[in-house]
Amino acid sequence: MKKVLVLGATSAIAQATVRLLAARGAALYLVGRNPERLQAVAQDARTRGAARVETEALDLDDLARHEALVTRAEEALGGLDGALLAHGILGDQAQAQGSYAETEKVLHTNFLSAVSLLTPLANRFESQKAGTLVVISSVAGDRGRQSNYVYGASKGALNVFLQGLRNRLARSGVAVVTVKPGFVDTPMTAAMKKNPLFASPEAVARGIVRAVETRQDEVYLPDFWRPIMFLIRGIPERVFKRLKL
Amino acid sequence: MKTERTSWGRYPRVKAQPVHPVSWTSEPLPVPPAGGTLLPHGQGRSYGDSCLNEGGTLLTTERLDHFLGFDPATGVLRCESGVTLDTIVRLVAPQGWFPPVTPGTKFVTVGGAIANDVHGKNHVREGTFGRHLRRFELVRSDCSRRECSPTENRDWFEATIGGLGLTGLITWAELQLRRVSNPYILQETIPFENLEGFLSILEESERDFEFNVAWVDSLARGRHLGRGLFYRGDYAPPQFDAVPRARAIPSGLGVPFDFPGFALNRVSVAAFNALQYRMRPQGLVHYEPFFYPLDAVHGWNRIYGRQGFLQFQCGVPMSHAGVDALREILDRSAHSGMPSFLTVLKVYGDVPSPGWMSFPKRGFSLALDFANRGERTYRLVDELDAVTRRAGGRVYPAKDSRMSPESFRAYYPEHERFARYVDPAFSSSFWRRVNGAG
Ligand SMILES: Cc1cc2nc3c(=O)[nH]c(=O)nc-3n(C[C@H](O)[C@H](O)[C@H](O)COP(=O)(O)OP(=O)(O)OC[C@H]3O[C@@H](n4cnc5c(N)ncnc54)[C@H](O)[C@@H]3O)c2cc1C
């Protein structure tokens, strides 16, 4: 990936990935909500060797502006060969159970806005017969659990969408990488008690770049989550529904 | 979020503290809960309690780690305060630049390096870290922000360099790096039989070499008291034909668990010293093993076990009284039955630091590491403190967990002026201790 659009560029995982891409001399179009933070990420990327860095402050919940955003990024960098979708929210499960509005917020940001961005991106990449779409999903999308099934559902829906997209784009040589991190030590999880399952954003970023370079379809980060999720998916529903997970 | 943060010496231990990660320079500081205080915390590479704040909140800067710009033509680097020297070196060394002053580990943050005004093996030539600072921003708990430099807000600049994190949070800084022609150091190692031997090599070394440091065999006594190896070196010239002896050390080694308390005893220290005495690197060495010999083993502090260890680092004047103090300190520790695992002797020059509370002063510096054996160890360290005070020396707060309020006042005559610049919402375990409040 040499000309990359990064959505949610101020998130911890995106920042760490941006640093790796910058050090490889990539050109970057960074999108996030907060202009000051975006500037910090951009300056950092420039200092670390990015060929060029453009920024745009935008709330990605505003789906109507996605199409034009992709066009601007493409024009600014003189083409695109990669996109990293890293924006997302954890939401509040308890609140979502009490109010559909909260549930919709999570689905809107994590699923609908991703789909709305992936649609123009996929079409461009398909017609240029090249490009890599990297989307940060979550292990939470592998199975619904009482503790966070709203967030899980938004990511689960995303996973299925990406599967279909991958299937469609395979013949055009466009890669679709579904990234499934487990717990990552970021501001998003600041309120959680840390345990050895937590990975650093830097480790996740290295995994992302490796997955892109080795053209993987779906990657668990760190990879110990693959067997864990295999087991969790394998528990019969009859048993699963009585577990407190 | 509450987590247990320890300092590098893992003594003293404080209860799990609330941690507030600061991720962006534009963020306002949190308001501490009633009666609580704040303290910035970098990589916790200080040994004692100056980076801890029992009962208060730690402002961690791990994520305050963006570069703001680097000019490869002038060597001026701007970065946020949580950027580590490791990250800086990896960015600038390939472009022919290096931090002009670096401590013995690269895993320190710029904020921590300023707050302790750290020094390296070249204090005689380059002084402390603070001398190479062009400017930084200081944020106070009242939300005020000040850009500080030798000309702008000069009093805040001078109070904050060596200011132990108490004057506010440094959000970003601008440093002047120095040119280096290659990543290699031309090194010499010279054995000396005792302290007199060290002194006789010193003058010539100080004059002819930028980097000077000595390792001392802590178990040697009598006429061998103070025997050791003198390491001296300079950045290698741009062209060199010799084949480098050592390259960058592969990192990734680690100490995966706490060693049992008995692992470090006279026998193991003697074995280590014997080995050290035989290793005499000469010629071209990469900067990694030269500047950061211990960094190759991550978490080496864990070999001291759960009880942790105490480092005692003092500076004493370059005088008869100073040399006598060195002798007495080495003698007391050799006879204590609690040998120092690593003993390092350095010299400080008289290049002044802008910082009022900066530690190094023209003279000798001696650092010793003692496994924590409870009261016996504390008593020994207290004795060494008394020796230092009698000699008109001082103890380094970054390494300290014992100095008394009386010692602190004697060591740092500027403390009263400094105290007026301490942020009312900031405090540390160290600060309360040396002010007799805790
Ligand atoms: C192996 C080893 C070798 C060492 N060698 C040397 C040496 O040769 N010379 C030397 O001088 N020191 C040396 N040290 C000590 C080390 O350089 C200092 O303790 C350094 O300050 C640690 O930086 P840190 O980022 O870990 O800060 P911490 O230890 O986390 O904090 C140090 C101080 O800085 C303050 N601080 C941190 N960030 C900020 C900020 N953003 N704004 C304001 N205040 C802040 C803290 O409140 C605290 O008072 C060594 C330490 C180790 C472990």
Side-chain angles (χ1 to χ4, degrees):
Chain A
M1 299 200 290
K2 281 280 163 208
K3 296 175 175 180
V4 191
L5 169 62
V6 182
L7 302 145
T10 58
S11 79
I13 294 176
Q15 280 194 64
T17 313
V18 160
R19 287 177 175 179
L20 296 178
L21 296 173
R24 289 165 159 74
L28 302 160
Y29 196 89
L30 308 178
V31 182
R33 256 178 316 191
N34 183 313
E36 274 166 11
R37 295 180 179 185
L38 212 47
Q39 273 322 314
V41 179
Q43 268 311 106
D44 183 66
R46 286 187 192 109
T47 310
R48 288 173 194 258
R52 68 183 291 187
V53 185
E54 302 290 333
T55 61
E56 179 169 338
L58 186 70
D59 185 344
L60 291 172
D61 278 337
D62 190 352
L63 310 191
R65 306 177 62 174
H66 287 180
E67 187 74 57
L69 168 70
V70 173
T71 307
R72 276 195 300 276
E74 203 173 22
E75 279 165 5
L77 301 187
L80 283 179
D81 65 1
L84 171 66
L85 276 73
H87 62 294
I89 54 172
L90 194 52
D92 182 319
Q93 175 65 25
Q95 236 182 313
Q97 281 171 214
S99 113
Y100 169 69
E102 171 75 9
T103 303
E104 190 182 302
K105 228 172 74 190
V106 175
L107 292 172
H108 184 90
T109 305
N110 293 354
F111 181 59
L112 293 178
S113 97
V115 169
S116 156
L117 285 158
L118 285 164
T119 302
L121 282 166
N123 290 337
R124 280 172 167 79
F125 286 12
E126 186 177 41
S127 63
Q128 72 192 26
K129 294 203 181 318
T132 306
L133 295 165
V134 185
V135 185
I136 313 242
S137 181
S138 167
V139 294
D142 276 14
R143 189 153 196 180
R145 297 175 298 128
Q146 61 173 344
S147 55
N148 73 342
Y149 63 82
V150 171
Y151 175 77
S154 70
K155 295 297 193 181
L158 184 60
N159 291 346
V160 174
F161 183 86
L162 293 170
Q163 278 171 0
L165 199 61
R166 181 179 304 119
N167 193 199
R168 168 189 148 202
L169 297 177
R171 80 188 57 166
S172 330
V174 177
V176 178
V177 186
T178 307
V179 180
K180 295 182 175 178
F183 299 115
V184 187
D185 190 355
T186 69
M188 194 177 183
T189 58
M192 296 184 186
K193 210 173 140 50
K194 300 292 174 288
N195 60 44
L197 290 179
F198 274 83
S200 70
E202 288 73 26
V204 172
R206 284 193 297 273
I208 291 174
V209 171
R210 208 182 315 118
V212 169
E213 281 170 354
T214 56
R215 296 188 72 86
Q216 295 181 56
D217 297 320
E218 203 184 63
V219 57
Y220 286 86
L221 293 174
D223 45 347
F224 60 71
W225 284 100
R226 189 178 288 277
I228 295 180
M229 296 318 294
F230 179 78
L231 291 177
I232 289 186
R233 279 199 312 270
I235 302 172
E237 196 62 28
R238 197 161 18 86
V239 180
F240 195 85
K241 71 180 179 195
R242 286 197 299 267
L243 298 179
K244 270 203 151 31
L245 282 167
Chain B
M1 180 177 41
K2 260 195 179 185
T3 47
E4 193 183 347
R5 296 271 164 168
T6 54
S7 63
W8 192 247
R10 307 208 296 165
Y11 169 83
R13 267 194 129 86
V14 306
K15 283 197 252 0
Q17 302 191 232
V19 167
H20 176 94
V22 184
S23 307
W24 309 95
T25 52
S26 49
E27 255 175 64
L29 296 188
V31 179
T37 56
L38 307 173
L39 183 74
H41 184 90
Q43 289 289 323
R45 249 54 176 194
S46 299
Y47 284 71
D49 52 3
S50 66
C51 61
L52 299 174
N53 187 17
E54 187 154 27
T57 304
L58 291 181
L59 305 172
T60 56
T61 59
E62 267 147 316
R63 299 270 162 243
L64 197 60
D65 66 343
H66 302 96
F67 282 116
L68 304 174
F70 173 58
D71 182 349
T74 60
V76 173
L77 174 86
R78 281 166 84 97
C79 65
E80 292 177 0
S81 63
V83 173
T84 62
L85 292 191
D86 176 41
T87 318
I88 292 178
V89 168
R90 275 189 280 140
L91 177 77
V92 304
Q95 305 185 57
W97 295 93
F98 212 82
V101 168
T102 175
T105 171
K106 58 190 166 146
F107 300 120
V108 301
T109 64
V110 167
I114 297 172
N116 276 327
D117 197 20
V118 301
H119 60 272
K121 300 174 175 52
N122 58 350
H123 186 271
V124 172
R125 298 265 173 102
E126 297 289 350
T128 57
F129 195 82
R131 236 192 109 238
H132 307 273
L133 267 177
R134 294 162 56 97
R135 55 184 65 250
F136 56 75
E137 183 189 64
L138 185 69
V139 179
R140 303 262 296 175
S141 62
D142 62 8
C143 296
S144 64
R145 283 171 189 270
R146 288 180 181 77
E147 216 173 292
C148 309
S149 74
T151 51
E152 222 176 317
N153 291 307
R154 181 170 166 184
D155 51 340
W156 291 98
F157 186 72
E158 296 176 347
T160 301
I161 294 173
L164 299 165
L166 296 164
T167 61
L169 178 77
I170 302 159
T171 53
W172 57 262
E174 188 178 293
L175 317 172
Q176 175 64 58
L177 304 181
R178 65 164 283 172
R179 268 230 175 271
V180 291
S181 37
N182 64 58
Y184 291 98
I185 307 281
L186 206 45
Q187 179 179 351
E188 280 182 16
T189 305
I190 303 165
F192 51 88
E193 277 307 303
N194 49 34
L195 218 45
E196 284 66 36
F198 168 80
L199 294 173
S200 65
I201 316 170
L202 184 62
E203 197 181 334
E204 161 198 299
S205 303
E206 267 195 293
R207 189 186 61 226
D208 298 341
F209 294 85
E210 169 162 358
F211 302 106
N212 291 290
V213 64
W215 165 81
V216 176
D217 178 353
S218 58
L219 290 173
R221 306 187 199 182
R223 69 194 170 78
H224 289 302
L225 186 76
R227 115 175 130 185
L229 298 174
F230 199 114
Y231 306 107
R232 57 194 196 182
D234 273 309
Y235 280 108
Q239 255 84 40
F240 54 86
D241 320 311
V243 182
R245 282 292 171 99
R247 290 165 193 289
I249 331 179
S251 64
L253 265 72
V255 177
F257 55 85
D258 295 341
F259 277 38
F262 57 78
L264 284 187
N265 52 34
R266 252 195 100 80
V267 177
S268 58
V269 173
F272 172 79
N273 285 1
L275 189 70
Q276 181 81 12
Y277 203 66
R278 259 183 293 156
M279 295 207 304
R280 296 178 190 175
Q282 303 282 356
L284 283 173
V285 293
H286 193 271
Y287 69 72
E288 286 267 354
F290 185 78
F291 288 138
Y292 314 117
L294 292 166
D295 284 354
V297 184
H298 282 287
W300 60 262
N301 54 339
R302 301 181 71 177
I303 64 170
Y304 287 96
R306 259 196 74 77
Q307 301 309 312
F309 67 114
L310 284 75
Q311 181 164 101
F312 175 79
Q313 181 171 3
C314 64
V316 293
M318 196 161 282
S319 63
H320 281 297
V323 175
D324 286 345
L326 293 181
R327 199 172 284 121
E328 185 170 351
I329 290 169
L330 288 171
D331 195 49
R332 278 180 190 257
S333 77
H335 283 91
S336 67
M338 296 175 286
S340 155
F341 189 59
L342 200 61
T343 307
V344 176
L345 187 55
K346 280 191 282 209
V347 269
Y348 297 142
D350 42 25
V351 181
S353 163
W356 300 335
M357 300 290 285
S358 180
F359 161 68
K361 264 197 187 166
R362 177 65 179 158
F364 303 105
S365 149
L366 183 63
L368 307 102
D369 283 342
F370 300 108
N372 182 11
R373 301 269 184 272
E375 276 309 322
R376 288 197 307 152
T377 313
Y378 310 150
R379 225 175 308 128
L380 173 64
V381 171
D382 293 346
E383 281 169 26
L384 305 185
D385 186 82
V387 174
T388 305
R389 224 165 103 189
R390 277 200 300 276
R394 55 200 346 202
V395 167
Y396 192 8
K399 309 289 181 73
D400 175 68
S401 40
R402 295 294 304 171
M403 83 170 73
S404 63
E406 296 71 38
S407 289
F408 177 71
R409 279 197 291 273
Y411 295 153
Y412 295 94
E414 297 279 13
H415 71 272
E416 273 176 22
R417 173 153 72 134
F418 170 71
R420 293 199 292 275
Y421 287 78
V422 171
D423 190 299
F426 278 49
S427 185
S428 68
S429 296
F430 172 88
W431 187 239
R432 289 187 294 277
R433 174 160 59 81
V434 299
N435 280 291

